[in-house]
Amino acid sequence: MFGAAGAITEPIVLQQTGELWEAVRIATETLLTPRNVLFLLAGVLLGLLMGALPGLGGPVALALLIPLTYPLGVNVSIMILAATLGGVAFGGSVTAILFNTPGDAPNAATLLDGYPLARQGRATEALSASAIASASGAIVGLLLFLASIPIVRQFALLFHSVDIFWLAVFGLVTVAVVSRGEVTANLVAGGLGLLLAFHGFNQVTGTARFTWGTTYLRDGVQLIPLLIGLFAVAEMLRLASERTTVSSVSIGSGGTLAGAKAVFENRFVFLQSSIIGWLIGVVPGAGGTVANFVAYLQAQNVSSDPKSFGTGNIRGVIASEAANDAKDGGSMIPTLGLGIPGSASTAVLLGAFVVNGVIPGPRLFQENLQLVFIVIFALLISNVLTSVIGIVLARQIARLTRVSVTTLVPIVLFVALLGAFVNRGNFGDVTATVVFGVIGFYMLKFDVSRIPVVIAFVLGPIAEQNFHRGLQISRGEYSIFLQRHVSIVLIVATVAVLLLPLVRHARKRRSGER
Amino acid sequence: MTTSNDRLDRLFAMLAEIDAEYYRRSFFLLWLGYVLAVLYRAIDYRPAARLFPILVGILLVVLLVGTLLASLSGRTVDIAGPLGGVFEAIETYEQESDLDDATRYRREAAALVWLVVLFASIWLFGYLLATVVYVPAFVYVHERNARRAVLTGVGTAVFLYILFVELLSASIYDGVLAGLI
């Protein structure tokens, strides 16, 4: 209040806390500031659009937004990114229902019944049911996450430096194993991410490593060019190579109320699917596609008319959409609580945390709890807004998706490369973005997942720092890494995750021989 | 008389005849080279600084050599994850079109060339000038619609200017040539 000369100064408003109610207050204030409301709305609209445009989706949208939102501060930046994430989920449903093309893979199951409904002239009913199920599923998932926060906070207190080291190793292995494609290729991708993370000045060891004689690499490889290159640029190269087009179906009119009523009438299916989605979301790396399909198949199993699924059964749309959005709440537990992402989008979201100087994981709930609440509130509001806007603007969104790929690609590339530059004003970042874009394109082509690269890049330094910290605490005794119960559990879990694919492979071979 | 287009067609037809697995092996071989370079460099560092790079590097060498050997012996190391690999399909480059390999390789090469041209344009002329030249050129070459090409180029430049310069107060790169003038 009083400066050095006795003059009255403005009180410093707390923007970061581990106290529960203080965190809620900061989050609420952040979201309700008029300027931030506009930012949130912009994030929702962008997410809706990016989710609807096939080939773009959550990871590209978030990767593009990170450099743009960075100057706004960590709280506002994360708010915008979470709002965009909320918009992406429903955006993908619009094209799944209208064009039989999921905007994002987690919307894949929606088209099984959504598109047949559209062909029957019931597109608006399907969109409406999708919107209501989507928003309500998100609310259920986020409320369940809210209820789990005290447990996660207590759990976070158990973690020592050594445990965080093993958690990072577990995270690296898990993401490599559950990513699409061969496990070995994905482990290689993870290793590459680790090596990239080792470039530049290291605070623990006090040395600059692998600069290869360049001044650019003294600061190390930067996360923003890596994200933008691997996701946005690589996807644009893929789109430019494929030049796919989509067909269209007329939306028609009427059916909005019928769709909303259908969700209420099938509330058991909705609740069941939401809980399935949330539980699957809690599993690190499980992703929206699994939640989508498991909930759809379960809804089909319990239906009195399972054969109607796939021909235009509204329950199919409700089940997949409810699960798809409920999983967001569940996936925030491993993403924010353990630093292990639940999907490609949350992997990029993790990168956003790191860019803003916040390390996700157990410490987040102790030191930056307001970010957890910002994510929850932003997702809640964005899911509701997205559904309302989505129903009202479905026709316009559908029209926008007819923009040809060859018009879209150069625009997105320019935004991407400009975004890479403005972060530090260093043209080396643009060069790095292009290089990673080419690498990412070939990774896509050769079926090597890009997610392990990003996760390893984020978790690698965490693993190394906590390893050296653990050694300092134990004064050089390596046995500290095997002494704690939490460490033992994580080691066992890591080995189990590594062995699972081999066990599955051996079982497959045996049943093939029989 | 063969035109350069014919020569390109023949080149890509030749490339398409090569087994795709060779390209995948080359990709991993490049990575192996990079990892070996990192290991070689790491040897000179202090023990604490080189520990993790060497650990990771050795593991990577084993994985990469194993993958390459398996590929050379004709065996695929087809160990999918326990959940079948379930990150979003954005991860998979699945060809849905009926393109033959030669056409696909040609389009991929064209996409890479366009990216390099984009990078060079930005480096030389800066973002705004590159936008009004590159974007119309790209759109016109692919769509043969001059009006759309010009509108897209100008629209993109205006959008970038408003978003980055006016709203975000970011300074954007002016290009090497602007510095010389």
Side-chain angles (χ1 to χ4, degrees), chain A residues 55-57 59-60 67-68 71-72 104-106 165 175 177-185 187-189 191-192 194-196 198-199 204-212 231 233 235-238 240-244 283-290 327 341-346 404-407 409-411 413-415 417-422 425 427 430-431 434 437-439 441-453 460 463-464 467-468 471 478 497 500-502 504-505 508, chain B residues 20-28 31 34-43 45-57 59-60 62-64 66-67 76-97 99 103-116 118-124 126-136 138-140 142-143 148 152-153 155-156 159-161 163-165 167-168 170-175:
Chain A
L56 294 184
V60 175
L68 305 183
L72 301 171
D104 208 1
F165 163 73
V175 168
V177 166
V178 302
S179 288
R180 196 176 281 276
E182 293 173 16
V183 172
T184 40
L187 283 170
V188 166
L192 177 71
L194 283 173
L195 288 189
L196 289 174
F198 294 148
H199 285 58
V204 174
T205 60
T207 50
R209 298 179 295 192
F210 312 115
T211 59
W212 310 111
F231 291 100
V233 175
E235 285 303 323
M236 291 308 105
L237 285 173
R238 184 182 68 83
S241 307
E242 288 180 356
R243 290 184 229 160
T244 52
V283 176
T289 318
V290 174
K327 70 119 189 22
S343 64
S345 300
T346 47
S404 73
V405 156
T406 42
T407 303
V409 163
I411 298 172
L413 278 177
F414 263 96
V415 173
L417 294 185
L418 189 42
F421 176 78
V422 298
F427 197 76
V430 180
T431 313
V434 169
V438 174
I439 292 173
F441 172 66
Y442 280 105
M443 289 179 77
L444 271 175
K445 191 174 156 60
F446 298 131
D447 203 22
V448 181
S449 177
R450 294 161 295 169
I451 304 298
V453 178
E464 192 178 23
F467 178 86
H468 287 291
L471 270 187
Y478 285 91
V497 165
L500 264 170
L502 291 168
R504 192 167 169 264
H505 182 70
K508 228 165 62 172
Chain B
E21 191 59 24
Y22 280 108
Y23 297 120
R24 197 166 189 263
R25 273 182 227 146
S26 306
F27 185 61
F28 282 119
W31 275 13
Y34 170 70
V35 173
L36 290 172
V38 165
L39 275 174
Y40 180 75
R41 193 74 193 86
I43 292 169
Y45 295 146
R46 283 176 16 222
R50 71 180 179 219
L51 174 64
F52 266 64
I54 287 182
L55 263 174
V56 171
L59 274 167
L60 265 177
V62 168
L63 279 170
L64 280 164
T67 305
T76 49
V77 185
D78 185 19
I79 302 176
L83 297 173
V86 295
F87 273 115
E88 285 84 351
I90 197 170
E91 287 294 286
T92 305
Y93 184 73
E94 288 169 7
Q95 280 108 47
E96 294 161 358
S97 62
L99 289 177
T103 310
R104 194 168 62 247
Y105 291 161
R106 189 177 177 135
R107 284 201 187 166
E108 288 170 6
L112 289 169
V113 167
W114 276 106
L115 181 66
V116 170
L118 169 62
F119 175 72
S121 311
I122 293 173
W123 180 68
L124 277 172
Y127 279 99
L128 288 181
L129 201 52
T131 310
V132 292
V133 173
Y134 180 90
V135 174
F138 186 97
V139 174
Y140 184 74
H142 290 94
E143 296 183 25
R148 180 186 282 192
T152 309
T156 306
F159 167 70
L160 291 178
Y161 182 81
L163 175 62
F164 286 93
V165 179
L167 289 177
L168 297 177
S171 67
I172 57 178
Y173 183 68
D174 288 333

Side-chain angles (χ1 to χ4, degrees), chain A residues 4-70:
Chain A
I8 297 172
T9 58
E10 286 294 324
I12 297 168
V13 180
L14 188 65
Q15 290 301 313
Q16 173 187 346
T17 182
E19 292 295 317
L20 185 70
W21 293 112
E22 196 57 30
V24 172
R25 181 193 68 76
I26 295 171
T28 313
E29 272 176 16
T30 303
L31 266 89
L32 294 181
T33 308
R35 183 191 78 152
N36 292 345
V37 169
L38 287 173
F39 283 144
L40 192 128
L41 192 58
V44 166
L45 288 171
L46 181 71
L48 201 50
L49 183 63
M50 296 294 251
L53 290 166
L56 294 184
V60 175
L62 295 183
L64 290 175
L65 275 177
I66 289 172
L68 305 183
T69 57
Y70 176 73

